[in-house]
């Protein structure tokens, strides 16, 4: 297949993002998946089963807005969680899903949601201008039935459009933004804030 | 704009310092800001909103001693916290502000100040020659009103000139020195000592 | 000695795996050992006493299926633990043994076995398709008598063939797979899951 | 001054060791000092005040066995702790002194000594062949009077020659060996074992 220049640029960005994210230890083994929406509405997304720290251009595939493959590669099982976000949010052009250990641990401890308050780093999220904001990140039960999980996320987002990410229990988190750079910023900030909450919880319970 | 050689050298030093500081995980997302005072009294300072681990020369701008831009770039919201330190301390030529997780966590636990005692690494601070020193680092409440926050810092420094840095709660810390190298030394030492205090607190409370 | 191309490729893979594993801090000092089974049934394995993050081709030796050296290099004391796994599992072509600190710590805390449940990352193990699996990793007492330790491992594997790795108390763990890539995936996943269990234990006991 | 080839090789080894040790975060700010004994009994040692992760050949100086400078550079205040070890142990040719955070924290918790038992990694120490060994690392009170501190270390070593390192409280540790490689192995192993003891203490007290 002959890919467009837009696809190839997006694929290169995803490979580079993968090396950064893996360098932090956030996509162990072959976990995680990443995507970028192209100007024509198709989506460049990581294929199934590759190590995200060693991505090559050929590890990125093209799908349409309904998650149908437009080439002969095998999409990740969680592709529907990406397309669902793109359909809902017209301004979103990138979705990143790491398996950071902090997101797994907060999901075991805080159960339904993690409330983030009084952190300057909340300003890393687009549209938040003060540490006096309160950011709520929901935690969904893990589910191998991805359409069912996507539907549960949808129901939540119907009520809360001011959402920057969600955690799947024992699994990892999804975050999104208008570009790879903005989404990486959200990703870095969420992991940092999850680590803060986790360590304060440990200290406060001691 | 045509920049002086002194500016370009300072800018290169700040880019390199940024890569070092980001490599430690101390400026997640696009947090933090850094500056150097030039021999003519103007100041090279990071612009707003860039990732500090990937700084380019064009991400550094020039301001005067009163924080007025001398080029057409957009200064960080916290610029006044830099100029305020340069006005007070004639020997200071560099100010670094990271968002290390340890500084955020100690601010939640120790509230008003962190007292550092009996550490050999206290000797990393200019003018301290023994671990028997006692270094107090104040913690200020976070405030999006930077002139008001700067004024509070000023009032503290009026009483305590032997100060090497301060923490802003839930935010990060500021430290300074006569050169980039000395300020980096203070930065590394402070984060290390904050981590010591944090971990000892966790263990001792357990 | 003149080595085959298969040996040299395997040796290069082991050197690269060593740099990756050491970069994570999982083979401190000169600890750990790694091997690959070649198509003819002989085995490329790290020699005794080298730092695994700085392996050169000459630090890999050739042994037969019974652990007899086929060149004049000195095999690791634990070679028998490798050959024993190759004899039992015809599909296994790589064995990796790191000394991660998390595996040492879980062995001190969980004693006989570590049960891993409700983690998406369980899917990193070949043949596991859901986080609803339960993976049990046995812990064996450390023993400098390697034939005796190998025999104890054998007795366990006689009863539990669905095993992806084991921990030796205060020492490290062994894991295996059909290729270097699959074994590295198992290794990364196990260390991550050990860290999860360890941190949750600390928080829950607090 | 014209240095010998032996000096220049030792200096290069110390620069490289410094980059490795700093990469682990074990010599924050400009802390730590390192030395190698040359075949003629003179000693190559790091000068005072340099960052150990960015050492250049010119940051290494030459001293005699009594710590007198043989060039015009300024030795570290702790030089006497190096020469004292070389005088006592004829087989020792390298001394490394990092300020690892784990060594600082164990000194606050375990006070007089740290006993290391039942770790496979004990075999990283020259002459220990089994995890059933018991390695005792003494902790000395910090003291800016280096001759007095050296004398206290001497008194301890008079009674316990089977010693691989010692901790100075709130400061860091010293370790030694017959070569840079062996000493680095001891250093990596000690920090790893200190971290084990520290984390187990935290968990067990919780």
């Amino acid at each position: 297949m002959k890919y467009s220049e837009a696809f190839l640029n997006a694929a290169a960005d995803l490979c580079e993002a993968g090396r950064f994210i893996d360098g932090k230890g956030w996509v162990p083994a072959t976990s995680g998946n990443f995507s970028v929406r192209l100007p024509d509405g198709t989506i460049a997304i990581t294929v199934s089963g590759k190590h995200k720290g060693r991505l090559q251009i050929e590890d990125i595939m093209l799908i349409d807005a309904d998650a149908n493959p437009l080439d002969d590669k095998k999409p990740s099982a969680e592709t529907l969680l990406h397309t669902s976000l793109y359909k809902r949010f017209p301004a979103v052009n990138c979705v990143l899903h790491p398996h950071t250990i902090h997101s797994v641990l907060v999901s075991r401890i805080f159960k339904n949601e993690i409330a983030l308050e009084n952190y300057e780093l909340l300003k890393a999220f687009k549209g938040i201008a003060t540490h006096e904001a309160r950011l709520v990140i929901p935690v969904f039960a893990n589910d191998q039935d991805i359409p069912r999980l996507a539907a549960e996320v949808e129901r939540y987002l119907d009520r809360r459009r001011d959402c920057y990410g969600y955690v799947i229990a024992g699994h990892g988190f999804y975050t999104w933004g208008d570009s790879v750079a903005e989404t990486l910023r959200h990703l870095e900030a969420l992991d940092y804030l999850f680590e803060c909450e986790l360590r304060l919880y440990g200290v406060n319970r001691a």
Side-chain angles (χ1 to χ4, degrees), chain A:
Chain A
M1 172 159 177
K2 186 94 173 73
Y3 292 105
S4 70
E5 197 178 322
F7 173 88
L8 294 171
N9 288 338
D13 286 351
L14 291 177
C15 294
E16 190 185 333
R19 282 189 289 275
F20 173 78
I21 293 169
D22 181 53
K24 301 286 189 179
W26 292 337
V27 279
T30 56
S31 69
N33 41 72
F34 315 143
S35 70
V36 164
R37 174 153 56 183
L38 306 180
D40 68 1
T42 60
I43 295 158
I45 189 166
T46 46
V47 300
S48 181
K50 297 288 175 173
H51 197 291
K52 302 307 173 298
R54 301 166 207 145
L55 287 175
Q56 304 294 325
I57 297 289
E58 58 264 31
D59 301 328
I60 313 296
M61 68 179 297
L62 190 67
I63 59 172
D64 70 16
D66 295 311
N68 299 306
L70 298 177
D71 53 25
D72 57 359
K73 298 175 186 171
K74 188 185 166 220
S76 156
E78 294 177 30
T79 299
L80 216 58
L81 296 174
H82 290 249
T83 53
S84 160
L85 288 164
Y86 289 123
K87 285 189 180 175
R88 176 171 294 268
F89 299 121
V92 166
N93 293 313
C94 178
V95 175
L96 298 174
H97 165 47
H99 285 215
T100 78
I101 202 163
H102 300 123
S103 62
V104 166
L105 297 176
V106 292
S107 75
R108 291 283 171 98
I109 290 169
F110 296 106
K111 317 291 181 190
N112 294 323
E113 65 180 35
I114 302 115
L116 303 167
E117 291 181 274
N118 258 316
Y119 292 109
E120 181 73 9
L121 209 65
L122 289 169
K123 291 168 64 183
F125 298 97
K126 188 183 197 148
I128 296 187
T130 168
H131 65 282
E132 292 175 320
R134 181 172 195 266
L135 184 61
V136 172
I137 302 293
V139 179
F140 299 111
N142 199 7
D143 194 338
Q144 298 303 320
D145 183 333
I146 298 300
R148 187 167 61 191
L149 177 51
E152 194 182 337
V153 174
E154 295 272 353
R155 277 192 298 274
Y156 180 89
L157 294 175
D158 284 343
R159 305 189 322 264
R160 298 289 299 259
R161 290 186 69 88
D162 60 333
C163 183
Y164 296 86
Y166 60 84
V167 172
I168 309 176
H171 181 150
F173 69 95
Y174 275 80
T175 189
W176 48 86
D178 65 13
S179 62
V180 174
E182 183 177 290
T183 311
L184 277 172
R185 203 175 72 222
H186 291 171
L187 191 165
E188 276 198 273
L190 280 175
D191 189 68
Y192 175 101
L193 296 171
F194 291 158
E195 184 178 359
C196 285
E197 288 298 307
L198 191 65
R199 293 176 71 167
L200 288 170
Y201 180 85
V203 161
N204 289 335
R205 282 210 62 199

